[in-house]
């Protein structure tokens, strides 16, 4: 008989599992590359998952 393992948490609905991104600021460096600003998801605090709202069914 197979064993099922339930996920510890669910994917964050706000960042869809991508908790840290780099956003272009619009300015450029002297070499032509863009400057970026790292941003962390405020909902999951950079984890990518959120806690379950209820205990898992058995």
């Amino acid at each position: 008989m197979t064993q099922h393992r339930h996920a510890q948490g669910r994917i964050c609905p706000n960042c869809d599992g991508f908790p840290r991104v780099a956003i272009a600021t619009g300015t450029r460096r002297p070499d032509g590359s863009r400057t970026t600003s790292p941003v962390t998801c405020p909902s999951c605090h950079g984890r990518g998952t959120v806690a379950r709202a209820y205990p898992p069914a058995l």
Side-chain angles (χ1 to χ4, degrees):
M1 187 168 213
T2 59
Q3 298 290 323
H4 296 284
R5 182 170 183 219
H6 298 284
Q8 298 298 329
R10 63 184 184 99
I11 294 176
C12 175
N14 292 333
C15 67
D16 202 28
F18 294 95
R20 189 163 170 92
V21 296
I23 298 184
T25 60
T27 59
R28 292 187 183 264
R29 294 188 181 115
D31 64 354
S33 63
R34 292 189 182 262
T35 56
T36 59
S37 176
V39 179
T40 303
C41 176
S43 179
C44 66
H45 305 289
R47 290 187 310 262
T49 59
V50 291
R52 289 179 170 247
Y54 54 89
L58 296 176

